[in-house]
Amino acid sequence: MINVELDAAPIPEPQPIEQTNSVYLVRNWPSKEWLTRWLHAGVTFIVSEQALLQLVANPELIDTLPVYPYALHSEIVLNNLQDQLPPSIIQLGDARWVELTIEADQYMVWDNV
């Protein structure tokens, strides 16, 4: 058996993705690519407007998410969705929503992603 050494730079170890305290509010249901790229354990995922309506109409979408979705309680009431809301959507009061935005390392509102 012949021992051969290659003169090459070592392959760097992959760096772990930094988990941040991010809040993402989406107004339309995002693409699979967006969900894969942006959702991780450190994200608070808030669905609003058309995204909320689509999630209520298709609750099986929740199973495709790595985190439980949130929705603003006032928007749920405004759209009269209380009786249709899947139980795994976490209702968020307005005051808590403001707290989350202040505490977040990153807060982004997404449209058409």
Side-chain angles (χ1 to χ4, degrees), residues 60-98:
E60 66 276 0
L61 290 172
I62 296 170
D63 297 333
T64 67
L65 302 174
V67 296
Y68 286 111
Y70 288 75
L72 297 173
H73 178 74
S74 56
E75 187 173 2
I76 293 164
V77 172
L78 181 67
N79 287 299
N80 200 26
L81 298 172
Q82 301 93 314
D83 296 334
Q84 305 167 49
L85 198 69
S88 51
I89 295 178
I90 302 166
Q91 296 187 43
L92 193 59
D94 293 339
R96 181 62 186 134
W97 174 56
V98 171

Side-chain angles (χ1 to χ4, degrees), residues 19-39:
Q19 301 290 314
T20 61
N21 180 23
S22 301
V23 176
Y24 299 149
L25 184 140
V26 295
R27 292 186 175 137
N28 292 291
W29 192 255
S31 67
K32 289 181 184 178
E33 294 80 17
W34 186 93
L35 291 169
T36 301
R37 179 172 182 191
W38 293 97
L39 285 191

